[in-house]
Amino acid sequence: MNFSQMRVHLISIGVLLAVAAIFFAPNAFSGKVLVQSDNTKARGMQAEMRKYMEQDDHIPLWTNSAFAGMPTYQILSVVEGNVLRPIYKTIFLGQNYTGAWAQVFAAMFCMYLLIMAFGGNWVIGLFSALAFGITSYNIDLLTAGHSTKMSALALAPGVLAGVVYLFKKKWLLGGGMFTAFLSMQLIANHVQITYYTLLMIGIYFLVKLVYALMEKDLVDYAKAAGILAVAVGLAMVSNASRLWPTWEFSKETIRGKSELAAKADQGGGLSKDYLFGWSYGIGESLTLLVPRAYGGGAGETRMDTKFFELVSQGAPPAEKKSIGRQVAGSFYWGEQTFVGTAIYFGAIVCFMFLLGAWIVPGPTKWWLLLSALFALTLAWGKHFFLNDLLYSYMPLFNKFRAVSMALGVSQLFVAVLAGLGLQAFFNQEIDKDQKKKGLYFAAGLTGVLALMAGFSGAGSGANDAALAAQLQMPNLGDILMNDRASMARSDAFRSLGFIAAAFVMLWFALKGSLKARTAVLVILALAFVDHAGVCLRTLSPDNYGDASRVLAAPPEKPFDAQIKQDKDLHYRVLDLSRGGPTGNAITSYYHESMSGYSAAKLQLYQEVIDTFFYSNLGENLDVLGMFNCKYIVNQQENVMQNPTAYGNAWFVQSFRTVGTAEAEIGALHTINPGVEMVVQDSYANQLQGFKINYDSTAQIRLTKYHPEKMEYEYSAASEQLAAFSEVYYPPSKGWKCYLNGEPAPDFFKCDYAIRGMRLPAGQNMKLEMRFEPESFQKGKTLSMIASLLALLLLIGGLYFWFKSGPSLETGELENFAGEEKKAAATEKTAKTKTKGSKKR
């Protein structure tokens, strides 16, 4: 690579860096951070972990601050042993999840690499990078706080670039890039995005297989497939310290197989209703071209509508902007419960995507086109028949919810094909008539779709009637529908304007009246303005706050201080004032909570929640008590002390065994867990032949608390049966018991979701429960070895690539001479030749 090429690419990357920094200027330059509701909840879930991390200098692998206790693998964890982490941090400019501008830059940088892998021109690289980075989808992720999703999506183009190089027979470079970027995508820790990325790579292999069969080139195809298989394994093992524990944890979560027969048809995954709960409507796909075709989203401000005028009458000017945000969600009338913003791919980008679908040659087009459409159909979820088949038969598909996130992957492929389509338009080897037809096709189809979106009329929203009753406005539905229709028309004309402008640029370029690079740069600028305008409907200075304020714990309430006066080592709180049992992570900032916010809840505990905590809670206080839930806060913020909190551990007087999970959980309606224990037969091996000689003087208490290490002391004149208020998690997956420092038999599951244990007689006996998962410890070693191999592979690939004198820019933007200019040049040449012959 010569210096001028390197300079062009460095300048291009500098431009992307500047765009990201300027677009998120408060974040990049002023030290402010986005107010992200999901990250606020995540920090609550992490509160106990961070406390002990400072004390112990490592992240605890177990926490009791949420859902009565759970592993921390998907709450806050680091892939220990992966030596690629410094490269990962470098790509994200050393920023953590609060650096939104760095995440967007990383996405654009990786997209630029992918376009270069395809042999794209640097201007095309900028076009596709901006089309992938500055988008309403990414703004929605960032403002909501879906940071791991954004990071994984940002790295996806880098993963794909490795695959492209593999099929260009750059075996070492392709294998090295693919392994490294896939490993780093797994560091980002959003497995669903990685899963979708690999699905799209599978489509590429199918397309390539068809072409390999036609061209009888199966040897190179097999070589690429073999390298890819090894690389996937290497990337996975590079993250073994997280993936291995997470895999065994997943089997115990709501994504695993329930013991209840009623849930047997789920096949060890999420229920279909839960998985498809966020399904993007098929008609709603018009928002990809016309953003407010379905009313926009709750993150926008609706100060230009009739509804806003009505509800804001008499309000002080200072409050009107806040009211505009409050009413914004009322305008959405799509299939989902709500959306933060409309998902918009860009009018010009959609136009170029269709142009690319017409004129880009070979397997590249079919891969990009099929992947973009397939990802879109995944996002349709329950509205598209194929997803039912995938749910039933595709491995791992039923482990992931919120299928609408596949839109981010679709956006990636649309941006790539749009860029390559723009480049192909200026490739003189492609027939000019084909380009004209492609231009008419793309402009015609996008134009028709835009008109459909703008003039098909707006529907009613699911909450219109309830809102009308609440506001006592019987005609509210008509007002909202008129506002929705007006917004759709306005955005339709907006999109038509951008499409027309891009069409004119290409038309004049095709006629030879405009230089190729000038046309592309103008189109790039127009596309950026298009995207930025829609993004800024959601992203405003109001979305930022001082880091010290935003990242601080929410204000403590009086009842928090009241509960904290209890100095017991370890007890739990059910706080219903801040939300339900599965949507409240704020309490975890201050207490060990029965609630939380996580998509990876333990199955057993979720079933206890569903059975006992949503109805007739007052009749189920003993179930709360067996988790040592001492305090209940009602919705009015009143604190009630639970009279049936049984403590951290207690000896029971009797036990009984039952045959099924249904019988075990059903027994909790009738037994007193403080006196009697119920055990399912499959967990009762340790109780065979055991009869309790209950010692009424026996005592057991918790003497030292650490989330990973619980220490108890007990005295009993005879062997006793103890129950512990800790949530059950299979001992084989981490919990080890020690009695007076020596290994002891494992605890077993009792009372459906807590721990039971036979304890021998003795005085002042010391019992320890330590969370020491072998999968994590062994995973660290495997991660170190595999990631080191991945790093060496990447270094080797880059070394030999540079040594061979690489050229990153192989796609030129060729000017069209124009028919008139060609004729004039021909006539001038003929005259010159005639004049020269006369002289001779």
Side-chain angles (χ1 to χ4, degrees):
M1 184 186 302
N2 59 45
F3 176 74
S4 62
Q5 280 187 334
M6 178 64 77
R7 181 179 59 187
V8 166
H9 295 305
L10 290 176
I11 291 172
S12 298
I13 292 169
V15 168
L16 297 176
L17 183 65
V19 168
I22 293 170
F23 202 80
F24 296 89
N27 183 227
F29 301 121
S30 302
K32 293 187 175 183
V33 298
L34 289 169
V35 180
Q36 302 168 313
S37 60
D38 274 21
N39 279 336
T40 300
K41 295 172 184 175
R43 288 190 294 273
M45 296 283 286
Q46 298 163 1
E48 182 184 53
M49 300 163 59
R50 292 185 182 279
K51 171 186 171 183
Y52 283 93
M53 184 169 62
E54 294 176 3
Q55 171 184 307
D56 303 334
D57 200 32
H58 80 275
I59 298 174
L61 300 178
W62 187 273
T63 181
N64 285 302
S65 67
F67 293 126
M70 62 187 293
T72 64
Y73 310 135
Q74 292 300 307
I75 303 174
L76 175 67
S77 63
V78 175
V79 182
E80 293 193 23
N82 193 327
V83 301
L84 293 169
R85 281 192 62 80
I87 301 176
Y88 175 89
K89 293 289 288 183
T90 300
I91 291 173
F92 289 95
L93 306 175
Q95 301 287 304
N96 61 17
Y97 68 92
T98 63
W101 72 283
Q103 289 178 299
V104 170
F105 165 74
M108 294 192 293
F109 170 73
C110 291
M111 175 59 79
Y112 190 86
L113 291 182
L114 178 55
I115 295 298
M116 294 306 104
F118 278 117
N121 184 273
W122 65 270
V123 185
I124 300 300
L126 288 175
F127 173 84
S128 291
L130 291 170
F132 180 57
I134 307 298
T135 66
S136 68
Y137 183 80
N138 292 344
I139 298 300
D140 191 38
L141 294 183
L142 292 167
T143 53
H146 298 167
S147 303
T148 59
K149 191 186 303 181
M150 180 68 222
S151 297
L153 187 61
L155 292 165
V159 178
L160 301 177
V163 180
V164 172
Y165 279 123
L166 267 178
F167 279 102
K168 285 189 170 184
K169 302 179 184 180
K170 299 181 185 296
W171 310 118
L172 195 56
L173 176 64
M177 278 192 70
F178 177 82
T179 308
F181 273 97
L182 182 59
S183 178
M184 290 188 290
Q185 191 185 48
L186 289 166
I187 290 175
N189 198 29
H190 201 287
V191 181
Q192 187 167 354
I193 292 295
T194 300
Y195 180 77
Y196 289 159
T197 303
L198 293 174
L199 281 182
M200 304 310 144
I201 292 172
I203 292 175
Y204 194 29
F205 267 74
L206 290 175
V207 170
K208 279 292 196 178
L209 177 60
V210 171
Y211 275 82
L213 290 170
M214 290 191 301
E215 298 168 2
K216 298 181 180 180
D217 188 20
L218 288 174
V219 174
D220 286 335
Y221 176 85
K223 188 181 295 186
I227 292 173
L228 189 81
V230 172
V232 169
L234 202 56
M236 296 288 185
V237 179
S238 295
N239 294 274
S241 62
R242 176 188 283 144
L243 292 181
W244 188 355
T246 297
W247 174 248
E248 63 180 17
F249 169 49
S250 71
K251 297 177 182 179
E252 308 303 323
T253 70
I254 56 176
R255 287 165 166 75
K257 188 174 182 179
S258 173
E259 294 182 357
L260 297 174
K263 294 184 177 181
D265 61 341
Q266 292 177 204
L270 298 171
S271 70
K272 190 177 292 187
D273 289 342
Y274 184 68
L275 187 145
F276 291 138
W278 292 92
S279 294
Y280 190 62
I282 295 176
E284 197 174 344
S285 303
L286 288 171
T287 68
L288 306 181
L289 181 64
V290 177
R292 290 190 292 188
Y294 273 69
E300 303 173 32
T301 302
R302 292 283 181 258
M303 299 178 66
D304 56 347
T305 60
K306 182 67 174 176
F307 178 47
F308 169 77
E309 290 179 14
L310 289 173
V311 298
S312 63
Q313 285 179 355
E319 295 181 9
K320 291 202 170 186
K321 196 169 188 179
S322 174
I323 294 173
R325 287 197 178 276
Q326 291 173 20
V327 304
S330 305
F331 293 93
Y332 173 71
W333 58 280
E335 299 284 352
Q336 301 171 83
T337 306
F338 69 90
V339 294
T341 190
I343 305 305
Y344 180 57
F345 286 2
I348 290 177
V349 173
C350 288
F351 172 40
M352 295 302 160
F353 169 74
L354 292 174
L355 178 63
W358 190 276
I359 65 174
V360 170
T364 296
K365 173 179 70 179
W366 294 112
W367 174 39
L368 299 175
L369 179 61
L370 291 173
S371 294
L373 296 178
F374 179 55
L376 177 60
T377 64
L378 288 179
W380 289 343
K382 63 185 178 183
H383 306 298
F384 191 62
F385 75 96
L386 180 61
N387 292 317
D388 286 325
L389 297 176
L390 294 176
Y391 177 85
S392 299
Y393 301 109
M394 175 68 75
L396 301 179
F397 187 84
N398 65 357
K399 304 292 185 182
F400 305 113
R401 69 181 293 261
V403 290
S404 60
M405 75 175 64
L407 287 170
V409 179
S410 180
Q411 171 185 272
L412 187 164
F413 285 94
V414 167
V416 176
L417 186 52
L420 296 185
L422 186 55
Q423 175 152 311
F425 188 82
F426 294 98
N427 184 346
Q428 302 291 17
E429 295 180 4
I430 297 176
D431 182 70
K432 195 171 183 179
D433 286 337
Q434 184 182 355
K435 294 173 186 175
K436 284 183 180 179
K437 291 177 182 177
L439 201 56
Y440 295 145
F441 164 74
L445 185 52
T446 50
V448 168
L449 291 173
L451 290 172
M452 284 176 56
F455 295 93
S456 295
S460 58
N463 300 317
D464 286 3
L467 186 60
Q470 179 185 343
L471 299 176
Q472 298 182 351
M473 296 172 61
N475 64 335
L476 178 62
D478 294 334
I479 294 170
L480 283 172
M481 287 178 69
N482 288 334
D483 280 338
R484 289 164 181 153
S486 176
M487 289 188 294
R489 284 194 301 271
S490 174
D491 272 7
F493 283 123
R494 180 184 185 278
S495 293
L496 286 170
F498 279 109
I499 293 166
F503 178 89
V504 168
M505 290 297 106
L506 293 180
W507 181 260
F508 279 112
L510 192 63
K511 291 295 184 182
S513 303
L514 198 62
K515 289 185 177 180
R517 187 157 293 175
T518 302
V520 173
L521 285 171
V522 171
I523 290 171
L524 183 156
L526 288 170
F528 176 72
V529 170
D530 178 18
H531 273 297
V534 173
C535 288
L536 292 175
R537 293 174 178 177
T538 304
L539 185 68
S540 73
D542 296 336
N543 292 100
Y544 296 93
D546 293 329
S548 58
R549 176 180 62 83
V550 174
L551 302 181
E556 184 176 280
K557 294 191 174 184
F559 68 79
D560 293 314
Q562 177 185 342
I563 293 172
K564 283 183 175 181
Q565 292 177 7
D566 189 328
K567 300 303 180 184
D568 276 2
L569 285 178
H570 177 42
Y571 57 89
R572 295 188 173 90
V573 175
L574 176 62
D575 175 12
L576 301 176
S577 70
R578 292 180 170 116
T582 60
N584 167 24
I586 305 304
T587 303
S588 297
Y589 279 100
Y590 307 108
H591 312 289
E592 290 162 17
S593 177
M594 298 290 289
S595 306
Y597 183 77
S598 172
K601 300 180 286 293
L602 288 171
Q603 178 84 273
L604 292 174
Y605 188 69
Q606 178 66 55
E607 288 162 354
V608 169
I609 289 175
D610 293 339
T611 306
F612 299 102
F613 294 175
Y614 282 120
S615 61
N616 301 319
L617 183 62
E619 299 175 7
N620 298 311
L621 295 181
D622 52 350
V623 177
L624 290 173
M626 73 185 197
F627 291 101
N628 197 23
C629 177
K630 291 182 69 174
Y631 298 97
I632 302 166
V633 184
N634 66 18
Q635 294 179 346
Q636 291 72 42
E637 301 187 359
N638 299 315
V639 179
M640 182 188 82
Q641 188 162 354
N642 185 5
T644 62
Y646 298 117
N648 304 117
W650 61 96
F651 292 120
V652 296
Q653 299 177 25
S654 63
F655 71 91
R656 58 171 146 144
T657 60
V658 294
T660 66
E662 282 80 4
E664 185 180 12
I665 197 170
L668 295 180
H669 287 289
T670 57
I671 70 166
N672 178 347
V675 176
E676 183 181 10
M677 177 186 293
V678 60
V679 184
Q680 193 179 157
D681 286 341
S682 57
Y683 294 91
N685 290 338
Q686 295 185 36
L687 298 178
Q688 291 182 5
F690 175 62
K691 293 184 179 180
I692 297 177
N693 180 16
Y694 180 66
D695 178 2
S696 60
T697 65
Q699 295 182 338
I700 183 169
R701 64 188 181 93
L702 181 72
T703 57
K704 188 175 181 180
Y705 172 78
H706 186 288
E708 290 183 314
K709 185 179 179 181
M710 314 286 284
E711 297 185 14
Y712 303 84
E713 182 177 297
Y714 77 91
S715 296
S718 59
E719 186 177 25
Q720 299 295 304
L721 184 58
F724 298 84
S725 64
E726 305 311 307
V727 72
Y728 176 80
Y729 189 69
S732 62
K733 297 183 179 182
W735 282 105
K736 304 291 188 294
C737 295
Y738 300 87
L739 195 58
N740 291 339
E742 298 296 325
D746 295 331
F747 55 71
F748 52 85
K749 182 172 80 73
C750 67
D751 297 342
Y752 199 74
I754 62 173
R755 306 172 190 176
M757 194 172 181
R758 284 175 63 175
L759 295 177
Q763 297 297 311
N764 301 319
M765 302 288 282
K766 309 291 185 183
L767 172 66
E768 294 180 51
M769 292 183 183
R770 303 177 195 166
F771 191 56
E772 301 170 335
E774 292 184 8
S775 57
F776 177 75
Q777 300 301 330
K778 293 178 179 178
K780 282 197 298 184
T781 302
L782 292 173
S783 292
M784 177 74 74
I785 296 170
S787 62
L788 185 58
L789 290 173
L791 179 61
L792 293 174
L793 185 61
L794 176 64
I795 292 172
L798 291 172
Y799 171 77
F800 287 108
W801 182 61
F802 275 102
K803 189 176 180 181
S804 65
S807 173
L808 274 177
E809 185 180 358
T810 57
E812 294 298 329
L813 299 175
E814 302 175 61
N815 294 315
F816 295 98
E819 301 301 332
E820 297 81 2
K821 292 182 179 180
K822 280 184 180 180
T826 302
E827 184 179 351
K828 184 177 180 180
T829 302
K831 287 181 179 179
T832 303
K833 288 182 178 179
T834 303
K835 187 176 180 180
S837 62
K838 286 181 179 179
K839 286 181 180 180
R840 287 193 295 271

